[in-house]
Amino acid sequence: MTVPQQAIGWREWLTLPELGISQIKAKIDTGARSSALHAYDIKEIPPKGDRPRIRFKVHPQQRDTITVVTAEADILDRRDVRNSGGKAELRYVILTPVQLGQQQWPIELTLTNRDVMGFRMLLGRQAVRGRFLVDPGHSYLLNPIPHPP
């Protein structure tokens, strides 16, 4: 197995282009298997083709409940995921591209209300495995200066 050479910090600015989110601060959480996005007002909508779909809202910036992005995606799955308190909750799972620095790749993303959490998004170990080394002593190594949303 080759070890990736590009390092990222314990938090980074990401883009979720297909969801219309130009910047979101994410915690890189190697302790979490899956990635999670803060979402609310989650509703199933009529399918496109044979894939069931979902519509949801996101407050992409911390401490900002005015800025809202409404997004739609195909439902990949519904899974029981343990939250930070250890309690299992049934979450929708979507597949969407994420961009970090110059790399863009598809990730599975669970949708959950993260209003009380420190970050609107967690990027879990499945998403970074084989792509990056995580330097827990630094932040924003790939996108040090956030651009305006």
Side-chain angles (χ1 to χ4, degrees), residues 15-44:
T15 300
L16 299 169
E18 285 189 6
L19 301 182
I21 298 174
S22 60
Q23 72 175 26
I24 188 165
K25 185 170 56 173
K27 178 181 180 183
I28 311 306
D29 190 350
T30 60
R33 182 176 171 272
S34 58
S35 299
L37 176 67
H38 165 70
Y40 67 98
D41 199 18
I42 301 169
K43 295 183 175 132
E44 290 193 35

Side-chain angles (χ1 to χ4, degrees), residues 77-144:
D77 197 4
R78 288 192 78 180
R79 293 185 195 140
D80 279 323
V81 177
R82 294 217 177 273
N83 64 21
S84 60
K87 183 180 177 199
E89 61 183 24
L90 187 61
R91 295 183 188 174
Y92 286 100
V93 182
I94 63 171
L95 183 69
T96 193
V98 63
Q99 183 171 346
L100 175 53
Q102 298 302 310
Q103 290 193 46
Q104 183 171 311
W105 70 101
I107 63 168
E108 289 186 4
L109 199 53
T110 68
L111 304 178
T112 186
N113 189 319
R114 297 184 51 80
D115 257 343
V116 298
M117 305 305 284
F119 289 84
R120 297 292 187 185
M121 184 170 166
L122 289 183
L123 194 64
R125 69 177 173 267
Q126 281 187 321
V128 297
R129 178 180 286 135
R131 293 186 179 278
F132 302 104
L133 295 173
V134 180
D135 183 342
H138 290 89
S139 299
Y140 313 119
L141 292 177
L142 293 187
N143 295 316

